């Protein structure tokens, strides 16, 4: 039976759940789909369909980002459930790079924990401009303590430029909502209303040349290699020629789907799977870019303004100097780079500095692009490209 085509009836946005390990992101994601399924606008995705890898089930944590889709009265959403565990921040950054807005999940019992703060910082860097807070496990929390957690979260958001005073903070219980408790299914409704009204529809650059940062690569037996991700700008249709930057491959899009539904044209903001003609599975990786031919010139060198995280923020305890070689997280890519601090020579934790970076491989860069710097499994810096230097 042919699959039903995707029909665009509502504006589409990309959102997702982020926050510290075990604060309840996956439970909340499942609860959202359940509440909306009961309203008749989507399919319930149970917890074990979101955390479905054997290692995830065995360890009780999310490792890979996972996508679900749902609709509210006014919008269609692709929702990325991100891992909270410190070892999988890498995967979290990839998920966050696609978002128009995020739901920050904070356990009312635990308050702000290290990855709560790290995720807020990373979200800011990769260009997530709006955050709504879900104070989760409110079923088990003491009201006064929850008030304190709320204050603390608002302060954290303000410190990262999110205007913590006006950010919606909704007390929820993903677990009780999943069980069908009306008080808490209503709270999920309130959370979704906050997302609908607080996260604005971003400007979509439909007329720009097509560009999609690759989030994942799959093989469909008998059909070929498929890349997935959110379209950053432009549009693409079946039959269009594209190039894969990073892989140096020219190819043609032979199939286009969103959440298993075929579409004729994908546009900026859509979360899609592209079937690429004749591309070997091993040639394409997360971090590569699929773009209209000759529309972007990738480069290796750029100058940037960088904030070096203080030790208190989970950053380094010692200064960095010219010759430092950390990993740069740019869009969905993770690339090593050589740091040159010029005459300044050293940057201490807590400093904001300008630097020149030479990446280990070419990537499409442009002024204003945000990135994170990580080393040995932790985030040590946050920066913005100020100029591309050849
Ligand atoms: N009391 C209570 N427990 C909850 C609630 N939501 C989640 N939990 C429990 O918290 C634990 C962690 O839930 P998850 O949804 O896996 O947390 P997570 O944030 O997705 O964890 P990672 O993805 O590994 O970072 C589970 O035992 C849940 O049953 C809630 O609203 N109330
Ligand atoms: Mg999870």
């Amino acid at each position: 039976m042919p699959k039903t085509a995707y029909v665009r009836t509502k504006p589409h946005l990309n959102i997702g759940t982020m926050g510290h390990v075990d604060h309840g992101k996956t439970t909340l994601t499942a609860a959202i789909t359940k509440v909306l399924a009961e309203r008749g606008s989507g399919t319930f995705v149970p917890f074990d369909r979101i955390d479905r890898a054997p290692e995830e089930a065995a360890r009780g944590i999310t490792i890979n980002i996972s996508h679900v889709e749902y609709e509210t009265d006014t919008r269609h959403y692709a929702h990325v459930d991100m891992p909270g565990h410190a070892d999988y921040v890498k995967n979290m950054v990839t998920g966050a790079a696609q978002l128009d807005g995020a739901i920050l999940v904070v356990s009312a019992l635990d308050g702000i924990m290290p990855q709560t703060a790290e995720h807020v910082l990373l979200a800011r860097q990769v260009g997530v401009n709006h955050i709504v807070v879900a104070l989760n496990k409110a079923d088990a929390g003491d009201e006064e303590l929850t008030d304190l957690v709320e204050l603390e979260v608002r302060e954290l958001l303000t410190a990262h430029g999110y205007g913590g005073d006006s950010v919606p903070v909704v007390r929820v219980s993903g677990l009780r909502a999943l069980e069908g408790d009306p008080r808490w299914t209503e709270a999920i409704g309130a959370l979704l209303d906050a997302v609908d009204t607080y996260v604005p529809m971003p400007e979509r650059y439909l007329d720009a040349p097509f560009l999609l940062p690759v989030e994942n690569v799959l093989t469909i037996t008998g059909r070929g290699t498929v890349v997935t991700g959110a379209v950053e700008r432009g549009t693409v249709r079946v039959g269009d020629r594209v190039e894969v930057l990073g892989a140096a491959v020219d190819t043609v899009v032979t199939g286009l789907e969103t959440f298993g539904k075929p579409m004729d044209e994908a546009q900026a903001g859509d979360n899609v799977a592209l079937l690429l003609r004749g591309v070997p599975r091993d040639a394409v990786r997360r971090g590569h870019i699929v773009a209209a031919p000759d529309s972007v010139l990738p480069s290796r060198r750029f100058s940037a303004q960088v904030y070096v995280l203080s030790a208190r923020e989970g950053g380094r305890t010692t200064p960095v100097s010219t010759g430092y070689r950390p990993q740069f997280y740019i869009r969905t890519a993770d690339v090593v780079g050589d740091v040159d601090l010029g005459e300044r020579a050293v940057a201490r934790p807590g400093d904001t500095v300008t630097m020149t970076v030479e990446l280990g491989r070419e990537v499409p860069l442009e002024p204003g692009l945000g990135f994170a710097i990580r080393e040995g499994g932790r985030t040590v810096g946050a920066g913005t490209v100020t100029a591309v230097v050849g």
Side-chain angles (χ1 to χ4, degrees):
M1 209 176 73
K3 295 188 211 168
T4 326
Y6 174 67
V7 185
R8 201 182 293 277
T9 54
K10 294 173 186 173
H12 169 81
L13 281 89
N14 299 297
I15 61 166
T17 32
M18 62 180 196
H20 195 76
V21 67
D22 266 354
H23 281 201
K25 298 172 290 297
T26 304
T27 307
L28 179 64
T29 302
I32 291 173
T33 63
K34 182 149 192 263
V35 168
L36 289 175
E38 277 160 11
R39 280 196 206 163
S41 57
T43 310
F44 172 41
V45 188
F47 186 96
D48 60 4
R49 289 293 304 153
I50 304 174
D51 278 358
R52 61 177 179 266
E55 196 189 346
E56 293 179 317
R59 296 175 62 188
I61 62 167
T62 303
I63 295 173
N64 303 309
I65 56 179
S66 172
H67 298 265
V68 300
E69 109 183 283
Y70 49 77
E71 281 179 29
T72 60
D73 290 344
T74 54
R75 289 169 164 185
H76 177 262
Y77 288 102
H79 175 125
V80 189
D81 180 41
M82 291 171 274
H85 194 289
D87 289 353
Y88 304 106
V89 172
K90 245 176 121 100
N91 296 343
M92 178 272 165
V93 187
T94 307
Q98 321 168 359
L99 301 186
D100 302 312
I103 300 174
L104 175 67
V105 179
V106 184
S107 159
L109 308 178
D110 302 325
I112 292 176
M113 296 294 277
Q115 273 64 54
T116 315
E118 186 173 12
H119 287 188
V120 170
L121 177 113
L122 291 168
R124 180 89 268 175
Q125 277 325 109
V126 300
V128 180
N129 292 331
H130 295 86
I131 288 182
V132 169
V133 177
L135 272 190
N136 192 37
K137 309 198 184 185
D139 60 288
D142 159 282
E143 193 121 350
E144 273 175 41
L145 205 67
T146 309
D147 289 343
L148 287 179
V149 172
E150 177 170 339
L151 279 178
E152 192 187 44
V153 177
R154 289 188 184 279
E155 269 173 32
L156 173 77
L157 291 172
T158 300
H160 288 91
Y162 281 108
D165 291 341
S166 53
V167 165
V169 177
V170 185
R171 296 179 188 203
V172 298
S173 169
L175 195 62
R176 298 283 168 254
L178 260 186
E179 291 166 359
D181 181 331
R183 170 170 175 205
W184 298 112
T185 53
E186 236 171 74
I188 299 291
L191 176 69
L192 289 167
D193 286 346
V195 173
D196 276 346
T197 51
Y198 187 73
V199 180
M201 181 68 194
E203 187 174 351
R204 304 290 194 204
Y205 298 98
L206 299 180
D207 294 334
F210 171 67
L211 188 148
L212 172 137
V214 175
E215 180 220 303
N216 205 1
V217 185
L218 325 156
T219 307
I220 301 187
T221 315
R223 291 194 71 195
T225 296
V226 169
V227 298
T228 64
V231 179
E232 184 174 304
R233 55 198 183 215
T235 59
V236 68
R237 299 180 71 89
V238 173
D240 280 357
R241 300 186 50 76
V242 291
E243 63 177 320
V244 186
L245 296 143
V249 165
D250 286 305
T251 178
V252 173
V253 175
T254 50
L256 205 50
E257 284 190 357
T258 184
F259 291 95
K261 295 186 270 288
M263 57 201 319
D264 297 330
E265 181 187 86
Q267 49 177 247
D270 290 349
N271 204 292
V272 294
L274 302 183
L275 181 64
L276 301 177
R277 177 186 293 160
V279 175
R281 164 74 180 78
D282 298 344
V284 194
R285 285 200 308 274
R286 169 185 289 183
H288 287 168
I289 301 266
V290 184
D294 305 317
S295 62
V296 273
L297 194 63
S299 32
R300 287 177 62 177
R301 278 165 61 80
F302 63 96
S303 54
Q305 177 94 357
V306 169
Y307 172 64
V308 184
L309 266 64
S310 65
R312 197 174 47 80
E313 293 165 302
R316 293 170 55 97
T317 51
T318 56
V320 298
S321 48
T322 293
Y324 179 51
R325 260 186 128 236
Q327 291 297 118
F328 288 79
Y329 286 72
I330 307 173
R331 295 192 177 96
T332 56
D334 158 10
V335 192
V336 68
D338 277 301
V339 168
D340 184 344
L341 289 165
E343 286 173 7
R344 186 187 168 101
V346 295
R348 289 181 310 274
D351 285 350
T352 298
V353 296
T354 54
M355 59 171 65
T356 309
V357 179
E358 171 132 13
L359 296 172
R361 67 175 174 86
E362 292 185 327
V363 297
L365 295 167
E366 56 204 35
L369 193 62
F371 59 87
I373 305 177
R374 306 192 80 233
E375 172 205 334
R378 61 191 169 145
T379 304
V380 296
T384 306
V385 174
T386 48
V388 181
V389 200

